[in-house]
Structures are given as structure tokens and as C-alpha cells.
Coordinates of all heavy atoms in Angstrom, one line a residue:
M422 N -28.4 26.0 3.3 CA -28.6 27.2 4.1 C -29.7 27.1 5.1 O -29.6 27.6 6.2 CB -28.9 28.3 3.1 CG -29.0 29.7 3.7 SD -27.5 30.1 4.5 CE -27.8 31.8 4.9
P423 N -30.8 26.3 4.9 CA -31.8 26.2 5.9 C -31.3 25.6 7.2 O -31.8 25.9 8.3 CB -32.9 25.3 5.3 CG -32.6 25.2 3.8 CD -31.2 25.6 3.6
Y424 N -30.3 24.7 7.0 CA -29.8 24.0 8.3 C -28.9 25.0 9.1 O -28.9 24.9 10.3 CB -29.0 22.8 7.9 CG -29.9 21.7 7.3 CD1 -29.9 21.5 6.0 CD2 -30.7 21.0 8.2 CE1 -30.8 20.5 5.5 CE2 -31.6 20.0 7.7 CZ -31.6 19.8 6.3 OH -32.5 18.8 5.8
V425 N -28.3 25.9 8.4 CA -27.5 27.0 9.1 C -28.5 27.9 9.8 O -28.3 28.2 11.0 CB -26.7 27.8 8.1 CG1 -26.1 29.0 8.8 CG2 -25.6 26.9 7.4
L426 N -29.6 28.2 9.2 CA -30.6 29.0 9.9 C -31.2 28.3 11.1 O -31.4 28.9 12.1 CB -31.8 29.4 8.9 CG -31.4 30.3 7.7 CD1 -32.5 30.4 6.7 CD2 -31.0 31.6 8.2
L427 N -31.4 27.0 10.9 CA -31.9 26.2 12.1 C -30.9 26.2 13.2 O -31.3 26.3 14.4 CB -32.3 24.8 11.6 CG -32.7 23.8 12.7 CD1 -34.0 24.3 13.3 CD2 -33.0 22.4 12.0
A428 N -29.7 26.0 12.9 CA -28.6 26.0 13.9 C -28.6 27.3 14.6 O -28.4 27.4 15.9 CB -27.3 25.7 13.3
L429 N -28.7 28.4 13.9 CA -28.7 29.7 14.5 C -29.9 29.9 15.4 O -29.8 30.5 16.5 CB -28.7 30.8 13.4 CG -27.3 31.0 12.7 CD1 -27.5 31.9 11.5 CD2 -26.2 31.5 13.6
A430 N -31.1 29.4 14.9 CA -32.3 29.5 15.8 C -32.1 28.7 17.1 O -32.5 29.2 18.1 CB -33.5 28.9 15.0
I431 N -31.5 27.6 17.0 CA -31.2 26.8 18.2 C -30.3 27.5 19.1 O -30.5 27.6 20.4 CB -30.7 25.4 17.8 CG1 -31.8 24.6 17.1 CG2 -30.2 24.6 19.1 CD1 -31.3 23.4 16.4
A432 N -29.2 28.1 18.6 CA -28.2 28.8 19.4 C -28.8 30.0 20.1 O -28.6 30.2 21.3 CB -27.0 29.2 18.5
F433 N -29.6 30.7 19.4 CA -30.2 31.9 20.1 C -31.3 31.5 21.1 O -31.4 32.1 22.1 CB -30.8 32.9 19.0 CG -29.8 33.8 18.4 CD1 -29.2 33.5 17.2 CD2 -29.4 34.9 19.1 CE1 -28.2 34.3 16.7 CE2 -28.5 35.8 18.5 CZ -27.9 35.5 17.3
E434 N -32.0 30.4 20.8 CA -33.0 29.9 21.8 C -32.3 29.4 23.1 O -32.8 29.7 24.2 CB -33.8 28.8 21.1 CG -35.0 28.4 22.0 CD -34.7 27.1 22.8 OE1 -33.8 26.4 22.5 OE2 -35.4 26.9 23.8
V435 N -31.3 28.7 22.9 CA -30.5 28.2 24.1 C -30.0 29.4 24.9 O -30.0 29.5 26.1 CB -29.4 27.2 23.7 CG1 -28.5 26.9 24.9 CG2 -30.0 25.9 23.2
T436 N -29.4 30.4 24.2 CA -28.8 31.6 24.8 C -29.9 32.3 25.6 O -29.7 32.7 26.8 CB -28.2 32.5 23.8 OG1 -27.2 31.8 23.1 CG2 -27.7 33.8 24.4
A437 N -31.1 32.4 25.0 CA -32.2 33.1 25.7 C -32.7 32.4 26.9 O -33.0 33.0 27.9 CB -33.4 33.3 24.7
T438 N -32.8 31.1 26.8 CA -33.2 30.2 27.9 C -32.2 30.3 29.1 O -32.6 30.5 30.2 CB -33.4 28.8 27.5 OG1 -34.3 28.7 26.4 CG2 -33.8 27.9 28.6
L439 N -30.9 30.3 28.8 CA -29.9 30.4 29.8 C -29.9 31.8 30.4 O -29.8 32.0 31.7 CB -28.6 30.0 29.3 CG -28.4 28.5 28.9 CD1 -27.1 28.3 28.2 CD2 -28.6 27.6 30.1
A440 N -30.2 32.8 29.6 CA -30.2 34.2 30.1 C -31.5 34.3 31.0 O -31.4 35.1 32.0 CB -30.3 35.2 29.0
M441 N -32.5 33.6 30.7 CA -33.7 33.7 31.6 C -33.4 33.2 33.0 O -33.8 33.8 34.0 CB -34.9 32.8 31.0 CG -36.2 33.1 31.7 SD -37.6 32.1 31.1 CE -37.5 32.5 29.3
R442 N -32.6 32.1 33.0 CA -32.2 31.6 34.4 C -31.3 32.7 35.0 O -31.4 32.9 36.2 CB -31.4 30.3 34.2 CG -30.7 29.8 35.4 CD -31.6 29.2 36.4 NE -31.0 28.2 37.3 CZ -30.2 28.5 38.3 NH1 -29.8 29.7 38.5 NH2 -29.7 27.5 39.0
G443 N -30.5 33.3 34.3 CA -29.6 34.4 34.8 C -30.3 35.7 35.2 O -29.7 36.5 35.9
S444 N -31.5 35.8 34.6 CA -32.2 37.1 34.9 C -32.8 37.2 36.3 O -33.3 38.2 36.7 CB -33.3 37.3 33.8 OG -34.4 36.5 34.1
E445 N -32.8 36.0 37.0 CA -33.3 36.0 38.3 C -34.8 36.5 38.4 O -35.1 37.5 39.1 CB -32.4 36.7 39.3 CG -31.1 36.0 39.4 CD -30.1 36.7 40.4 OE1 -30.5 37.6 41.1 OE2 -28.9 36.4 40.3
G446 N -35.6 35.9 37.6 CA -37.0 36.3 37.6 C -37.3 37.6 36.9 O -38.2 38.4 37.3
F447 N -36.4 38.0 35.9 CA -36.5 39.3 35.2 C -36.2 40.5 36.1 O -36.7 41.6 35.9 CB -37.8 39.4 34.5 CG -37.9 38.6 33.2 CD1 -38.6 37.4 33.2 CD2 -37.3 39.0 32.1 CE1 -38.7 36.6 32.1 CE2 -37.4 38.2 30.9 CZ -38.1 37.0 31.0
T448 N -35.4 40.2 37.2 CA -35.0 41.3 38.0 C -33.7 41.9 37.6 O -33.3 43.0 38.1 CB -35.0 40.9 39.5 OG1 -34.0 39.8 39.6 CG2 -36.3 40.4 40.0
R449 N -33.0 41.3 36.7 CA -31.7 41.8 36.2 C -31.9 42.2 34.7 O -32.3 41.4 33.9 CB -30.6 40.7 36.4 CG -30.4 40.4 37.8 CD -29.3 39.3 38.0 NE -28.0 39.8 37.4 CZ -27.2 39.0 36.8 NH1 -27.4 37.7 36.7 NH2 -26.1 39.5 36.3
L450 N -31.8 43.5 34.4 CA -32.1 44.0 33.1 C -31.3 43.4 32.0 O -31.8 43.1 30.9 CB -31.9 45.5 33.2 CG -32.3 46.3 31.9 CD1 -33.8 46.0 31.5 CD2 -32.0 47.8 32.0
G451 N -30.0 43.3 32.2 CA -29.1 42.8 31.1 C -29.5 41.4 30.6 O -29.8 41.2 29.4
P452 N -29.6 40.4 31.5 CA -30.0 39.1 31.1 C -31.5 39.1 30.6 O -31.8 38.4 29.6 CB -29.9 38.2 32.3 CG -28.9 38.9 33.2 CD -29.1 40.4 32.9
A453 N -32.4 39.9 31.1 CA -33.7 40.0 30.6 C -33.8 40.5 29.2 O -34.6 40.0 28.4 CB -34.6 40.9 31.6
A454 N -33.0 41.4 28.9 CA -32.9 42.0 27.5 C -32.4 40.9 26.6 O -32.9 40.8 25.4 CB -32.0 43.2 27.4
I455 N -31.4 40.1 27.0 CA -30.9 39.0 26.2 C -32.0 37.9 25.9 O -32.1 37.4 24.8 CB -29.7 38.3 26.8 CG1 -28.5 39.3 26.8 CG2 -29.3 37.0 26.1 CD1 -27.3 38.9 27.6
V456 N -32.9 37.7 26.9 CA -34.0 36.8 26.8 C -34.9 37.2 25.6 O -35.2 36.5 24.7 CB -34.8 36.6 28.1 CG1 -36.1 35.8 27.8 CG2 -34.0 36.0 29.2
V457 N -35.3 38.5 25.7 CA -36.3 39.0 24.7 C -35.6 39.0 23.3 O -36.2 38.5 22.3 CB -36.7 40.4 25.1 CG1 -37.6 41.0 24.0 CG2 -37.5 40.4 26.4
A458 N -34.4 39.5 23.2 CA -33.7 39.6 21.9 C -33.4 38.2 21.4 O -33.6 37.9 20.2 CB -32.5 40.4 22.0
G459 N -33.0 37.3 22.3 CA -32.6 35.9 21.9 C -33.8 35.2 21.3 O -33.7 34.5 20.2
Y460 N -35.0 35.2 22.0 CA -36.1 34.5 21.5 C -36.6 35.1 20.2 O -37.0 34.4 19.2 CB -37.3 34.5 22.5 CG -37.1 33.4 23.5 CD1 -37.0 33.7 24.9 CD2 -36.9 32.1 23.2 CE1 -36.8 32.7 25.8 CE2 -36.7 31.1 24.1 CZ -36.7 31.4 25.5 OH -36.5 30.4 26.4
L461 N -36.6 36.4 20.1 CA -37.1 37.1 18.9 C -36.2 36.7 17.7 O -36.7 36.3 16.6 CB -37.0 38.6 19.0 CG -37.4 39.4 17.8 CD1 -38.9 39.2 17.4 CD2 -37.2 40.9 18.1
I462 N -34.9 36.8 17.8 CA -34.0 36.4 16.8 C -34.1 34.9 16.4 O -34.1 34.5 15.3 CB -32.5 36.7 17.2 CG1 -32.4 38.3 17.3 CG2 -31.5 36.1 16.2 CD1 -31.1 38.7 17.9
S463 N -34.3 34.1 17.5 CA -34.5 32.6 17.3 C -35.7 32.4 16.4 O -35.6 31.6 15.4 CB -34.6 31.9 18.6 OG -34.9 30.5 18.4
F464 N -36.8 33.0 16.7 CA -38.0 32.8 15.9 C -37.9 33.3 14.5 O -38.4 32.7 13.6 CB -39.2 33.5 16.6 CG -39.6 32.8 17.9 CD1 -40.1 33.5 18.9 CD2 -39.5 31.4 18.1 CE1 -40.5 32.9 20.1 CE2 -39.9 30.8 19.2 CZ -40.4 31.5 20.3
V465 N -37.2 34.3 14.3 CA -36.9 34.8 12.9 C -36.1 33.8 12.1 O -36.5 33.4 11.0 CB -36.2 36.2 12.9 CG1 -35.7 36.6 11.5 CG2 -37.1 37.3 13.5
F466 N -35.1 33.3 12.7 CA -34.3 32.3 12.0 C -35.1 31.0 11.8 O -35.0 30.4 10.7 CB -33.0 31.9 12.8 CG -31.9 32.9 12.6 CD1 -31.2 33.5 13.7 CD2 -31.5 33.4 11.3 CE1 -30.2 34.4 13.6 CE2 -30.5 34.3 11.2 CZ -29.8 34.8 12.3
M467 N -35.9 30.6 12.8 CA -36.7 29.4 12.6 C -37.7 29.6 11.5 O -37.9 28.7 10.6 CB -37.5 29.1 13.9 CG -38.4 27.9 13.8 SD -37.5 26.4 13.6 CE -38.2 25.5 15.0
A468 N -38.4 30.8 11.4 CA -39.3 31.1 10.4 C -38.7 31.0 9.0 O -39.3 30.5 8.0 CB -40.0 32.4 10.6
K469 N -37.5 31.5 8.9 CA -36.8 31.5 7.6 C -36.4 30.0 7.2 O -36.6 29.6 6.1 CB -35.5 32.3 7.7 CG -35.7 33.8 7.9 CD -36.2 34.4 6.6 CE -36.2 35.9 6.8 NZ -36.9 36.6 5.7
A470 N -36.0 29.2 8.2 CA -35.7 27.8 7.9 C -36.9 27.1 7.5 O -36.9 26.2 6.6 CB -35.1 27.2 9.1
L471 N -38.1 27.4 8.0 CA -39.3 26.7 7.7 C -39.9 27.0 6.3 O -40.8 26.4 5.9 CB -40.3 26.9 8.8 CG -40.1 26.2 10.1 CD1 -41.1 26.7 11.2 CD2 -40.1 24.7 9.9
T472 N -39.3 28.0 5.7 CA -39.7 28.3 4.3 C -39.3 27.1 3.4 O -39.9 27.0 2.3 CB -39.2 29.6 3.8 OG1 -37.8 29.6 3.7 CG2 -39.7 30.8 4.6
S473 N -38.4 26.3 3.7 CA -37.9 25.2 2.9 C -37.8 23.9 3.5 O -37.3 22.9 2.9 CB -36.6 25.6 2.1 OG -35.6 25.9 3.1
L474 N -38.1 23.8 4.8 CA -38.0 22.5 5.5 C -39.3 22.1 6.2 O -40.1 23.0 6.4 CB -36.9 22.6 6.6 CG -35.5 22.9 6.2 CD1 -34.6 23.1 7.4 CD2 -34.9 21.8 5.3
N475 N -39.5 20.8 6.4 CA -40.8 20.4 7.0 C -40.8 20.7 8.5 O -39.9 20.6 9.2 CB -40.9 18.8 6.9 CG -41.0 18.4 5.5 OD1 -41.4 19.1 4.6 ND2 -40.6 17.1 5.2
V476 N -42.0 21.2 8.9 CA -42.1 21.8 10.2 C -42.0 20.7 11.3 O -41.4 21.0 12.4 CB -43.5 22.6 10.4 CG1 -44.7 21.7 10.3 CG2 -43.5 23.4 11.6
G477 N -42.6 19.6 11.2 CA -42.6 18.6 12.3 C -41.2 18.1 12.7 O -40.8 18.3 13.8
P478 N -40.4 17.6 11.8 CA -39.1 17.2 12.1 C -38.2 18.3 12.5 O -37.3 18.2 13.4 CB -38.6 16.5 10.8 CG -39.8 16.0 10.1 CD -40.8 17.1 10.4
V479 N -38.3 19.5 11.9 CA -37.5 20.6 12.2 C -37.8 21.1 13.6 O -36.9 21.4 14.4 CB -37.7 21.8 11.2 CG1 -37.1 23.1 11.7 CG2 -37.0 21.4 9.9
Y480 N -39.0 21.1 14.0 CA -39.4 21.6 15.3 C -38.9 20.5 16.3 O -38.4 20.9 17.4 CB -40.9 21.7 15.5 CG -41.2 22.3 16.8 CD1 -41.1 23.7 17.1 CD2 -41.7 21.5 17.9 CE1 -41.3 24.2 18.3 CE2 -42.0 22.1 19.1 CZ -41.8 23.4 19.3 OH -42.1 23.9 20.6
A481 N -38.9 19.3 16.0 CA -38.4 18.2 16.9 C -36.9 18.4 17.1 O -36.4 18.4 18.2 CB -38.7 16.8 16.3
I482 N -36.2 18.7 16.0 CA -34.7 19.0 16.1 C -34.5 20.2 16.9 O -33.6 20.2 17.8 CB -34.1 19.1 14.7 CG1 -34.1 17.8 14.0 CG2 -32.7 19.6 14.8 CD1 -33.8 17.9 12.5
W483 N -35.2 21.3 16.7 CA -35.0 22.5 17.4 C -35.3 22.4 18.9 O -34.5 22.8 19.7 CB -36.0 23.6 16.8 CG -35.9 24.9 17.4 CD1 -34.9 25.8 17.3 CD2 -37.0 25.6 18.1 NE1 -35.2 27.0 18.0 CE2 -36.5 26.9 18.4 CE3 -38.3 25.2 18.5 CZ2 -37.3 27.8 19.1 CZ3 -39.0 26.2 19.2 CH2 -38.5 27.4 19.5
S484 N -36.4 21.7 19.2 CA -36.7 21.6 20.6 C -35.7 20.6 21.3 O -35.3 20.8 22.5 CB -38.1 21.2 20.8 OG -38.4 20.0 20.2
A485 N -35.4 19.5 20.6 CA -34.5 18.5 21.2 C -33.1 19.1 21.5 O -32.5 19.0 22.6 CB -34.3 17.3 20.3
L486 N -32.5 19.7 20.5 CA -31.2 20.3 20.6 C -31.2 21.5 21.6 O -30.3 21.7 22.3 CB -30.6 20.7 19.3 CG -30.2 19.5 18.4 CD1 -29.6 20.0 17.1 CD2 -29.3 18.5 19.1
G487 N -32.3 22.2 21.6 CA -32.5 23.3 22.6 C -32.5 22.7 24.0 O -31.9 23.3 24.9
T488 N -33.2 21.6 24.2 CA -33.3 21.0 25.5 C -31.9 20.5 26.0 O -31.5 20.8 27.1 CB -34.3 19.8 25.5 OG1 -35.6 20.3 25.1 CG2 -34.4 19.1 26.8
I489 N -31.2 19.9 25.1 CA -29.9 19.4 25.4 C -28.9 20.6 25.7 O -28.1 20.5 26.6 CB -29.4 18.5 24.3 CG1 -30.3 17.4 24.1 CG2 -27.9 18.0 24.6 CD1 -30.1 16.0 24.2
G490 N -29.0 21.6 24.8 CA -28.2 22.8 25.0 C -28.5 23.5 26.4 O -27.6 23.9 27.1
A491 N -29.8 23.6 26.7 CA -30.1 24.2 28.0 C -29.7 23.4 29.2 O -29.2 23.9 30.2 CB -31.6 24.5 28.0
F492 N -29.8 22.1 29.0 CA -29.3 21.2 30.1 C -27.8 21.3 30.3 O -27.3 21.5 31.4 CB -29.7 19.7 29.7 CG -29.0 18.7 30.6 CD1 -29.3 18.6 31.9 CD2 -28.2 17.8 30.0 CE1 -28.7 17.6 32.7 CE2 -27.6 16.8 30.8 CZ -27.8 16.7 32.2
A493 N -27.1 21.3 29.2 CA -25.6 21.4 29.3 C -25.2 22.8 29.8 O -24.3 22.9 30.6 CB -25.0 21.1 27.9
G494 N -25.9 23.8 29.3 CA -25.6 25.1 29.8 C -25.9 25.3 31.3 O -25.1 26.0 32.0
G495 N -27.0 24.7 31.7 CA -27.3 24.8 33.1 C -26.3 24.1 34.0 O -25.9 24.6 35.1
V496 N -25.7 23.0 33.5 CA -24.7 22.3 34.2 C -23.4 23.1 34.3 O -22.8 23.3 35.3 CB -24.4 20.9 33.6 CG1 -23.2 20.3 34.2 CG2 -25.6 20.0 33.8
L497 N -23.0 23.7 33.1 CA -21.8 24.4 33.0 C -21.8 25.8 33.6 O -20.9 26.2 34.3 CB -21.4 24.5 31.5 CG -21.0 23.2 30.8 CD1 -20.8 23.5 29.3 CD2 -19.8 22.6 31.4
L498 N -22.9 26.5 33.4 CA -23.0 27.9 33.9 C -23.6 28.0 35.3 O -23.2 29.0 36.0 CB -23.8 28.7 32.9 CG -23.3 28.8 31.5 CD1 -24.3 29.6 30.6 CD2 -22.0 29.6 31.5
F499 N -24.5 27.1 35.7 CA -25.2 27.3 36.9 C -25.0 26.2 37.9 O -25.6 26.1 38.9 CB -26.7 27.5 36.7 CG -27.0 28.7 35.8 CD1 -27.4 28.5 34.5 CD2 -26.7 30.0 36.2 CE1 -27.7 29.6 33.7 CE2 -27.0 31.1 35.4 CZ -27.5 30.8 34.1
D500 N -24.0 25.3 37.6 CA -23.7 24.2 38.4 C -24.9 23.3 38.8 O -25.0 22.8 39.9 CB -23.0 24.7 39.7 CG -22.1 23.6 40.4 OD1 -21.6 22.7 39.6 OD2 -22.0 23.7 41.6
E501 N -25.8 23.1 37.8 CA -27.0 22.3 38.1 C -26.5 20.8 38.1 O -25.6 20.5 37.4 CB -28.0 22.6 37.0 CG -28.6 24.0 37.2 CD -29.6 24.3 36.1 OE1 -29.9 23.5 35.2 OE2 -30.2 25.4 36.2
P502 N -27.2 20.0 38.8 CA -26.8 18.6 38.9 C -27.0 17.8 37.7 O -28.0 18.1 36.9 CB -27.6 18.0 40.1 CG -28.8 18.9 40.1 CD -28.4 20.3 39.6
V503 N -26.2 16.8 37.4 CA -26.4 15.8 36.4 C -26.8 14.5 37.0 O -26.1 13.9 37.8 CB -25.1 15.6 35.6 CG1 -25.3 14.5 34.5 CG2 -24.6 16.9 35.0
R504 N -28.0 14.1 36.7 CA -28.6 12.9 37.3 C -28.8 11.8 36.2 O -29.1 12.2 35.1 CB -29.9 13.2 38.0 CG -29.7 14.2 39.2 CD -31.1 14.3 40.0 NE -30.8 15.2 41.1 CZ -31.2 16.4 41.2 NH1 -31.8 17.0 40.2 NH2 -31.0 17.1 42.3
P505 N -28.7 10.6 36.6 CA -28.8 9.5 35.6 C -30.2 9.6 34.8 O -30.2 9.4 33.6 CB -28.7 8.2 36.4 CG -27.9 8.6 37.6 CD -28.2 10.0 37.9
L506 N -31.3 9.9 35.5 CA -32.6 10.0 34.9 C -32.6 11.2 33.9 O -33.3 11.1 32.9 CB -33.7 10.1 35.9 CG -34.1 8.7 36.5 CD1 -35.2 8.9 37.6 CD2 -34.6 7.8 35.4
T507 N -31.9 12.2 34.3 CA -31.9 13.4 33.4 C -31.2 13.1 32.1 O -31.6 13.4 31.0 CB -31.2 14.6 34.1 OG1 -31.9 14.8 35.3 CG2 -31.3 15.9 33.3
V508 N -30.0 12.4 32.2 CA -29.3 12.0 31.1 C -30.1 11.0 30.2 O -30.1 11.1 29.0 CB -27.9 11.4 31.5 CG1 -27.2 10.8 30.3 CG2 -27.1 12.4 32.2
A509 N -30.8 10.0 30.9 CA -31.6 9.1 30.2 C -32.7 9.8 29.4 O -33.0 9.5 28.2 CB -32.3 8.1 31.1
G510 N -33.3 10.9 30.0 CA -34.3 11.6 29.3 C -33.8 12.3 28.1 O -34.4 12.4 27.0
A511 N -32.6 12.9 28.2 CA -31.9 13.5 27.0 C -31.7 12.5 25.9 O -31.9 12.8 24.7 CB -30.6 14.2 27.5
V512 N -31.3 11.3 26.3 CA -31.1 10.3 25.3 C -32.4 9.9 24.6 O -32.4 9.7 23.4 CB -30.4 9.0 25.9 CG1 -30.4 7.8 24.9 CG2 -29.0 9.4 26.3
I513 N -33.4 9.8 25.4 CA -34.7 9.5 24.8 C -35.2 10.6 23.8 O -35.8 10.3 22.7 CB -35.8 9.2 25.9 CG1 -35.4 7.9 26.6 CG2 -37.2 9.2 25.4 CD1 -36.2 7.7 27.9
I514 N -35.0 11.8 24.2 CA -35.3 12.9 23.3 C -34.6 12.8 21.9 O -35.2 12.9 20.9 CB -35.0 14.3 23.9 CG1 -36.0 14.5 25.1 CG2 -35.1 15.4 22.9 CD1 -35.6 15.7 26.0
V515 N -33.3 12.5 22.0 CA -32.5 12.4 20.8 C -33.0 11.2 20.0 O -33.1 11.3 18.7 CB -31.0 12.3 21.1 CG1 -30.2 11.9 19.9 CG2 -30.5 13.6 21.7
L516 N -33.3 10.1 20.6 CA -33.8 8.9 19.9 C -35.1 9.2 19.2 O -35.4 8.8 18.1 CB -33.9 7.7 20.8 CG -32.6 7.1 21.3 CD1 -32.9 6.0 22.4 CD2 -31.8 6.6 20.2
G517 N -36.0 10.0 19.9 CA -37.2 10.4 19.3 C -37.1 11.2 18.1 O -37.8 11.0 17.1
V518 N -36.1 12.1 18.1 CA -35.9 12.9 16.9 C -35.4 12.1 15.7 O -35.8 12.2 14.6 CB -34.9 14.1 17.2 CG1 -34.4 14.8 15.9 CG2 -35.5 15.1 18.2
I519 N -34.5 11.1 16.1 CA -34.0 10.2 15.0 C -35.1 9.4 14.4 O -35.3 9.3 13.2 CB -32.9 9.3 15.6 CG1 -31.7 10.1 15.9 CG2 -32.6 8.1 14.7 CD1 -30.6 9.3 16.8
V520 N -36.0 8.9 15.3 CA -37.2 8.1 14.8 C -38.1 9.0 13.9 O -38.5 8.6 12.8 CB -38.0 7.5 16.0 CG1 -39.3 6.9 15.5 CG2 -37.1 6.4 16.6
M521 N -38.3 10.2 14.3 CA -39.1 11.1 13.5 C -38.5 11.4 12.1 O -39.2 11.4 11.1 CB -39.3 12.5 14.2 CG -40.5 12.6 15.1 SD -40.8 14.3 15.6 CE -41.9 14.8 14.3
N522 N -37.2 11.5 12.1 CA -36.6 11.7 10.8 C -36.6 10.5 10.0 O -36.6 10.6 8.7 CB -35.2 12.3 11.0 CG -35.2 13.8 11.4 OD1 -35.6 14.6 10.5 ND2 -34.9 14.1 12.6
L523 N -36.5 9.3 10.6 CA -36.6 8.1 9.8 C -38.0 7.9 9.2 O -38.1 7.4 8.1 CB -36.2 6.9 10.7 CG -34.8 6.8 11.1 CD1 -34.6 5.6 12.1 CD2 -33.9 6.6 9.9
G524 N -39.0 8.4 9.9 CA -40.4 8.3 9.5 C -40.8 9.2 8.4 O -41.7 9.0 7.7
G525 N -40.1 10.4 8.3 CA -40.6 11.3 7.3 C -39.4 12.2 6.8 O -39.4 12.7 5.7
G526 N -38.5 12.4 7.7 CA -37.3 13.2 7.4 C -37.6 14.6 7.2 O -38.7 15.1 7.3
V527 N -36.5 15.3 7.1 CA -36.5 16.7 6.8 C -36.2 16.9 5.4 O -35.1 16.7 4.9 CB -35.4 17.5 7.7 CG1 -35.4 18.9 7.5 CG2 -35.7 17.2 9.2
S528 N -37.2 17.3 4.6 CA -36.9 17.5 3.2 C -37.1 18.9 2.8 O -37.9 19.7 3.4 CB -37.9 16.6 2.4 OG -39.2 17.0 2.6
Q529 N -36.3 19.3 1.9 CA -36.4 20.7 1.4 C -37.5 20.8 0.3 O -37.6 19.9 -0.5 CB -35.1 21.2 0.9 CG -34.0 21.2 2.0 CD -32.7 21.8 1.5 OE1 -32.5 22.1 0.3 NE2 -31.7 21.8 2.4
G530 N -38.3 21.8 0.5 CA -39.5 21.9 -0.4 C -39.3 22.9 -1.5 O -38.7 23.6 -2.0

């Protein structure tokens, strides 16, 4: 169950981040409301997941998958460019999360 909560936290965080881009500097009310609600819900799910998972690796997973999700969403929704260095950076982030999990892992407490 903690991994489901983590996945939901990531999904709401990515949604909020993409809505922030769509809010055009918080000048559009609908996307701005999605930003606020999305981050709030994301933090609630993250807090619930952290009651039984280790904070370091979980935060690494959350931020890495959030980064990749925001990158993919930016490409798909806002026609942002895909550059080789950007893709290399995403790969490095994923490798970093793998190394963190090999070093201590995500254990349930």
C-alpha cells in the first residue's frame, strides 16, 4: 500500500507541475487551482507513504519520477524540445535512484 500512495503522490505532483506551466504565471484560475490542489494532495499521499518507508530513497524516487513525468508531459502537452543532453540527464537521475536503492533500499518500517 505505501507504494500505491507514493505513486499517487508522484501523479499529483506531476499534474500540479504541468498545471503550473499551463497557468501562465498564475494568470489562469483553473490551472492555478489545479496547482494548489495537486501539490496539497501530493504532499498528503507522500506523508502517508513515509509512515512506513525510508525518506531518502522514497524522496529520490518521488523527485526522479516527478522530473521524468514533468519532462514527458512538457514534451507531450507543450511541445517542448527533446534534446540529447536532456535525455542524458533523465537517465542519470534514474541511475542515481537505482544506486540509492542498492545502497540502502526502500524498506518498510
